[in-house]
Amino acid sequence: DMTKRGRRLLQAAHLGPALAVTTLSALLAVAADLSLPNVVLVTAAVLLGQLSVGWSNDAIDAPLDSAARRPDKPIALGHVSRRLVAACAAIALLADIPLSLAVGVRAGLLHLGAVALAWAYNLGVKRTVASALPYAAAFGLVPVVVAAAKDGSPSPRAALVVAGVACGIAAHFANTVGDSAEDAMTGVRGLPQRVGPAVSTAVAGAFIAVAAFA
């Protein structure tokens, strides 16, 4: 039924990480004293961007996920079609363009740049030794986008950018720790997969500490 399909679509969108990034962006927007309309716009733009990233991830990886029979992927299980998930990704991305620019041209372009980095990760960077770079850059851009949404587009505090970069790297390494078997089946050989779960756990912990003290 429609309700069940909706739940499967949200699962394919990686809703947990999407909401986490959206919440972080909303809190930064509030802390930066943005106007209420801009807080709403930033939050909505980030959410749409994150949904597009999550859906594109599952749509792009669908053949490999299906071959590996991954039990956590709705497309691989036949619960939703790859075409539907790809369409959702495209619609979310297209809708995110005017919504992002409504915050302001500079802030909007910066946000769309962060979304582009995430799409680049999905399209192949995640299988290379440079896999951490899109995470680092995209998370580092979050406080830059929020600052650009303020009157006069001031530069963000350097400590917030450093903390964002550190959080991105930590998230990237932490996300892979429990997925070693699945990544091996689907051929994902990013930097965390190459160094292994133990080193990835240590790296994630180190960068969380950097973010905490930045």
Side-chain angles (χ1 to χ4, degrees):
D1 58 30
M2 292 297 293
T3 302
K4 184 177 290 187
R5 177 174 290 187
R7 287 200 302 267
R8 300 303 188 191
L9 273 176
L10 289 177
Q11 183 183 353
H14 301 217
L15 190 59
L19 290 177
V21 174
T22 301
T23 300
L24 171 64
S25 302
L27 291 174
L28 283 174
V30 171
D33 291 324
L34 295 190
S35 65
L36 181 57
N38 270 358
V39 170
V40 172
L41 284 171
V42 166
T43 303
V46 171
L47 178 58
L48 264 184
Q50 289 300 304
L51 291 175
S52 81
V53 171
W55 278 321
S56 69
N57 178 282
D58 274 25
I60 292 165
D61 288 349
L64 291 172
D65 291 337
S66 297
R69 298 180 180 178
R70 289 193 57 167
D72 58 333
K73 297 294 185 178
I75 299 176
L77 295 174
H79 293 153
V80 292
S81 71
R82 184 187 188 190
R83 178 177 294 181
L84 176 60
V85 174
C88 287
I91 291 169
L93 180 63
L94 290 173
D96 198 32
I97 295 172
L99 189 58
S100 295
L101 294 175
V103 181
V105 173
R106 184 164 179 264
L109 290 176
L110 286 166
H111 175 249
L112 292 172
V115 174
L117 285 166
W119 272 71
Y121 175 85
N122 289 343
L123 287 166
V125 178
K126 70 179 180 180
R127 303 179 191 281
T128 73
V129 293
S131 61
L133 294 181
Y135 265 81
F139 272 73
L141 277 172
V142 172
V144 181
V145 170
V146 171
K150 297 186 69 172
D151 290 337
S153 298
S155 297
R157 286 173 48 205
L160 288 177
V161 178
V162 171
V165 170
C167 283
I169 296 173
H172 177 50
F173 279 87
N175 283 345
T176 67
V177 172
D179 296 334
S180 299
E182 291 85 352
D183 289 339
M185 286 188 292
T186 53
V188 175
R189 292 286 295 160
L191 186 57
Q193 290 82 7
R194 294 167 194 254
V195 300
V199 175
S200 291
T201 301
V203 171
F207 277 97
I208 288 172
V210 170
F213 288 101

